[in-house]
Amino acid sequence: MKAAILTIGDEILLGQITDTNSASIARSLASSGIRIATMLSVADSATAIVQALESLFAGHDLVLATGGLGPTKDDLTKKVLADYFDDSLVFHDQTFRQIEKLLALRGVPMNPLNRNQALLPSKARILPNRKGTAAGMWFEREGKILIALPGVPFEMEHLMQEQVLPLLKERFPGTALSYRLLQVSNTAESVLAEKLDDFEKSLPDGLRLAYLPSPGIVKLRLTANQQAQERLDPFFEQLCLLLRAFSFRFAVISAPEENLKTEEKIGLLLGNGSLSLSTAESCTGGEIARLLVSVAGSSRYFKGGIVAYSNAVKEKILGVDSPILARYGAVSEPVVRAMALSARQLFQSDYALATSGIAGPGGGSEEKPVGTVWIGLASPSGCQARCFHFASDRQRNIAQAASAALEWLWTELLEQSPSSPQNP
């Protein structure tokens, strides 16, 4: 089966918002054995939408579209799709009651625009949306399927998980894949690929290894089709043995954790063990703390953080000795160790992360080029520090340093948590 994603909206083409929906849909479909062959974005225009549908249906069996289902005049998708499938809009009482209930909970009065959202194509299968006012729609014609979803990411994701994926699995039961996932920290994708080249060549038909890189980590996903599922676990165990033999630091990711961000996985481990965390950040400027507090319930385990950007703050607030700063410089192992230990003591936390580096674009030297970052981790068992070398882009360095710090903490917590998946 060939599938495509169509995102609709001027705001995407103008760069006013980032299209996260396509990546989310692709991940969800991949877990069901449906691979995306094409992604396309078009404007809020009837002509553009119809042309896109004609083009995509010419070479694809399934199209998932997002956007343009809201209550305003520029939301054209519903009417365009009804016309495209030779259908008409009719009042859908169940959807209207759902909209009424949702607006009442939000304290928003019903108006004609909201009421019009209950006008839906008569021949389409309606996908109820419990998270918003725009229902999803499932169209079929001549063996082709179009699924229209709202553009609001959390509404789209809700409909994908609650409605779309179960229906697709029911309709195409033979496409399901099985897979195992692990995560390697602080190793370049190219290094992993070189070491695992012979392993990849040894994989039988139906097994495939994929590399999924992101700042500070590479996820390895071993996937099996239905014919090769019995061989999945033996080859996955072999993969883990190889990684251990090459001294790579890795952790197995369970299915419930697969789509969680690192800060969310940290929250689960800290919350479950009643442990606490604090931060002392220099080059990351509070980015680690921002990521941590983005997780609901983080107040249970995150005690607080200090942005010690200047040496004066490092000395006066964190108590880093001025002779250490003078001798080694702010971007150094002794300084970041002192920062982590001081944060752990000041906040009375079980763990503390500290960063100090040269984010750029200036400030680097031959000895410490832009992208050099020291990260410290203080824990009940002591304090460690690691040096990382990132790129020359300032924002990328900040993001990579924060990601590397959280990944390091997560792997440490994972090794000490009896309730979490361990390296086999």
Side-chain angles (χ1 to χ4, degrees), residues 371-402:
T372 302
V373 177
W374 276 94
I375 299 176
L377 173 58
S379 70
S381 60
C383 186
Q384 308 171 64
R386 294 179 184 172
C387 186
F388 295 80
H389 296 282
F390 300 120
S392 57
D393 179 78
R394 182 178 183 83
Q395 297 306 317
R396 183 175 175 82
N397 288 336
I398 292 171
Q400 287 185 311

Side-chain angles (χ1 to χ4, degrees), residues 226-244:
Q226 286 191 314
Q227 290 70 39
Q229 288 188 13
E230 291 184 358
R231 311 189 73 177
L232 176 60
D233 285 333
F235 273 91
F236 186 68
E237 290 174 10
Q238 183 181 338
L239 173 61
C240 292
L241 288 173
L242 276 173
L243 292 172
R244 190 178 294 111

Side-chain angles (χ1 to χ4, degrees), residues 90-210:
V90 297
F91 187 77
H92 196 261
D93 188 62
Q94 182 181 346
T95 298
F96 179 73
R97 290 197 302 269
Q98 172 65 29
I99 295 172
E100 264 191 327
K101 180 180 178 181
L102 189 65
L103 293 180
L105 288 173
R106 295 175 178 176
V108 177
M110 175 72 72
N111 64 32
L113 292 177
N114 295 131
R115 190 182 188 282
N116 286 342
Q117 287 187 284
L119 293 174
L120 297 168
S122 64
K123 301 175 186 176
R125 178 169 186 163
I126 306 305
L127 308 177
N129 179 5
R130 295 188 298 105
K131 302 292 185 179
T133 58
M137 295 167 285
W138 177 301
F139 298 87
E140 290 191 45
R141 185 168 66 190
E142 297 177 357
K144 307 284 187 176
I145 297 174
L146 171 73
I147 302 171
L149 301 171
V152 180
F154 78 90
E155 293 183 30
M156 179 279 298
E157 291 169 3
H158 155 69
L159 280 172
M160 280 294 298
Q161 297 302 318
E162 189 172 275
Q163 303 279 342
V164 176
L165 292 179
L167 288 172
L168 287 174
K169 288 177 182 178
E170 179 182 316
R171 182 67 176 273
F172 307 104
T175 60
L177 299 175
S178 297
Y179 60 90
R180 301 291 181 266
L181 191 68
L182 58 79
Q183 182 168 299
V184 183
S185 302
N186 308 319
T187 303
E189 180 186 11
S190 58
V191 173
L192 273 175
E194 181 182 19
K195 294 292 186 183
L196 298 176
D197 183 57
D198 288 339
F199 172 77
E200 285 194 77
K201 291 177 180 176
S202 74
L203 292 175
D205 290 342
L207 283 180
R208 190 176 72 88
L209 183 66

